[in-house]
Amino acid sequence: MPGPGYAFFGTEEWENVKGAMSDWEATRTAYDKVPEIPVVRRFERGALDHFGANHCVAVSSGTAALVTALAALDIGPGDEVIVPGYTFLASIGAIIYSGATPIIAEIDESFTLNPADVESRITERTKAIMPVHMLGAPSDMDALTAIAQRHGLLILEDVAQACGASFHGRHLGTIGDAGAFSLNTFKVITCREGGFLLTNSPRTYQRAYSFHDQGWFPLEGQRNTDRGSGDLIFGLNFRLADLAAGVALAQLSKLDRVLATTRAAKRTLAEQISTHPRFTRRVLHDPDGECGTILAYIFNERADAQAVAKALGTKTMDDSGKHHYANMAQLQALGRGERVCPFRKPEPVSDRYNPGALPQTDDILQRSIALSVGVTDSYLGAGFGISVSSTPEQITHIAAQFRRAVASL
Ligand SMILES: *Cc1c(COP(=O)(O)O)cnc(C)c1O
């Protein structure tokens, strides 16, 4: 089971898809005045209510949400964006396509940006910080917000892995200047392929809307117009399909239930694994606000983490697909000055993306193991663990397996 929302599929998803089909069918003769797509707008309004933001734009993927947000925030050539070296490749790819330069920074034992390291990488070109709320848990938004304010920087939150999580009572994705969410199969809730972005700024919203839909201006409740007010920009088409929006709308209504179930499963698993002198739990900046999708342990010794991972048939977190900067072939090629993006000139040759460039990140990930709770994804290094559908007996069995592997070190 990829993400926990999957386990909650039911009649609501079917009904919304049927509703979207009916709306579609009803307008089949209205060729020249195709109306707003009601289910997409309903999803956007639902997201605003749920997350308490002023504006939402539904888009076709989390990657589309990131690119749209970068365009909306006017980030482009000549700008630098600071992003963690532990994230999914898409965070960095979106920066590349914006024309800006990604500056990778260290994570700490929360698996999110190390604020002190972020501050040390700020130059006169730095335009934004992109905190990635990895594995369902918030970055240190107090420290990052203070840094951004001190240096006049924007914050774009990558909330793809943490939909519904919060930081001391504030929903992730509403703390920075914009927040980008994914609804793909491996995320907290899903419509197979989709995403959305949130912002409280009317100007960012207008630019995001225009960018995701061919430069149209948003007009609440009416057909879009090209006579709106705001910035005239070329857009592309990153619209969310209505059938997917129907599924997303149903999933959104279940988000609190999905999270409650995931958090309860994580609590049970963590209690049974308990503590041990050889490892510590991942640092959580807000234990009550995280999604609970992944339970991660950091061992004191790399060899211990490797032995336990081997015994469980999983991997240490440095070996997790395109989530660790050193595993991103495109990023290495960028550093070699290769043309990794057809839309821009290659970057000057640089060793800033070389394996070993982020020693703290490498060290932490090499000593860490991620157990699945709500998100089972061996590519993310979380191929071992439980799911939200696991029975109490299954959870006990998995906890015992982990404890046995540690005991035999
Ligand atoms: C999944 C993910 C994305 C991209 O989302 P898609 O919907 O797959 O495009 C971006 N950032 C992070 C951190 C992700 O995990």
Side-chain angles (χ1 to χ4, degrees):
M1 181 187 310
Y6 240 122
F8 291 77
F9 266 25
T11 51
E12 299 83 358
E13 281 80 357
W14 283 105
E15 289 308 317
N16 285 352
V17 171
K18 282 187 213 155
M21 286 291 289
S22 304
D23 291 340
W24 188 10
E25 190 174 41
T27 60
R28 68 179 185 261
T29 54
Y31 298 114
D32 58 348
K33 49 177 178 30
V34 179
E36 281 284 294
I37 304 163
V39 66
V40 176
R41 300 296 163 242
R42 274 172 62 209
F43 170 76
E44 289 174 344
R45 279 196 299 276
L48 294 183
D49 288 346
H50 190 95
F51 297 103
N54 290 342
H55 304 285
C56 175
V57 181
V59 293
S60 52
S61 71
T63 309
L66 286 168
V67 173
T68 301
L70 287 160
L73 296 172
D74 208 5
I75 292 167
D79 298 331
E80 292 178 352
V81 179
I82 299 177
V83 60
Y86 177 58
T87 181
F88 181 54
L89 174 86
S91 319
I92 295 171
I95 298 168
I96 290 292
Y97 274 90
S98 80
T101 301
I103 303 296
I104 54 171
E106 298 274 20
I107 57 160
D108 57 25
E109 298 205 339
S110 68
F111 300 117
T112 64
L113 274 177
N114 172 338
D117 188 70
V118 168
E119 193 155 30
S120 76
R121 290 174 198 271
I122 292 173
T123 70
E124 70 281 355
R125 295 177 147 221
T126 310
K127 178 92 174 254
I129 304 170
M130 186 190 285
V132 183
H133 307 300
M134 281 301 277
L135 311 177
S139 310
D140 185 351
M141 292 308 290
D142 279 345
L144 294 171
T145 303
I147 291 169
Q149 280 172 355
R150 239 181 346 261
H151 298 271
L153 307 178
L154 297 166
I155 291 187
L156 167 53
E157 296 176 69
D158 182 339
V159 204
Q161 296 193 10
C163 181
S166 56
F167 179 76
H168 301 308
R170 296 175 72 191
H171 276 290
L172 299 186
T174 68
I175 302 172
D177 296 280
F181 294 73
S182 167
L183 297 166
N184 98 10
T185 310
F186 291 94
K187 313 302 182 182
V188 180
I189 53 172
T190 183
C191 62
R192 186 78 105 173
E193 296 291 358
F196 61 99
L197 69 91
L198 300 177
T199 181
N200 288 321
S201 152
R203 177 162 184 262
T204 303
Y205 170 62
Q206 179 265 311
R207 289 178 60 93
Y209 191 97
S210 297
F211 187 79
H212 102 297
D213 191 7
Q214 311 289 11
W216 292 106
F217 289 100
L219 251 194
E220 295 297 323
Q222 297 176 45
R223 180 151 160 52
N224 309 334
T225 171
D226 51 9
R227 299 235 183 88
S229 62
D231 295 349
L232 208 51
I233 53 174
F234 279 102
L236 293 166
N237 172 6
F238 288 132
R239 296 185 302 261
L240 179 63
D242 55 350
L243 301 186
V247 178
L249 183 61
Q251 287 270 293
L252 183 65
S253 73
K254 302 172 183 182
L255 177 55
D256 286 341
R257 251 195 312 143
V258 172
L259 289 176
T261 307
T262 309
R263 288 165 174 160
K266 181 180 166 182
R267 222 174 297 122
T268 308
L269 181 62
E271 276 165 13
Q272 296 190 28
I273 286 177
S274 189
T275 56
H276 194 281
R278 286 184 186 266
F279 60 70
T280 55
R281 287 267 291 277
R282 167 196 195 176
V283 171
L284 291 169
H285 293 299
D286 181 357
D288 298 327
E290 67 139 352
C291 295
T293 39
I294 298 281
L295 175 61
Y297 290 102
I298 306 172
F299 286 77
N300 306 332
E301 303 297 332
R302 184 182 176 191
D304 286 357
Q306 284 176 327
V308 170
K310 188 151 182 278
L312 300 177
T314 183
K315 304 178 289 190
T316 48
M317 284 170 61
D318 58 310
D319 188 12
S320 54
K322 287 182 162 53
H323 295 90
H324 179 204
Y325 74 97
N327 293 335
M328 300 177 190
Q330 291 86 344
L331 190 59
Q332 312 300 316
L334 179 73
R336 293 193 299 269
E338 291 177 23
R339 194 176 166 94
V340 289
C341 172
F343 297 157
R344 59 182 276 170
K345 291 197 192 113
E347 290 282 300
V349 175
S350 156
D351 57 10
R352 65 157 65 111
Y353 306 118
N354 287 355
L358 301 177
Q360 186 189 11
T361 299
D362 299 346
D363 173 57
I364 292 168
L365 295 176
Q366 283 162 358
R367 291 187 288 115
S368 299
I369 293 180
L371 305 185
S372 66
V373 176
V375 172
T376 308
D377 181 0
S378 59
Y379 196 67
L380 186 64
F384 175 86
I386 61 170
S387 79
V388 286
S389 309
S390 296
T391 62
E393 293 71 30
Q394 285 167 332
I395 296 178
T396 301
H397 175 72
I398 292 294
Q401 246 184 293
F402 186 86
R403 280 208 316 270
R404 261 200 312 278
V406 175
S408 62
L409 283 172

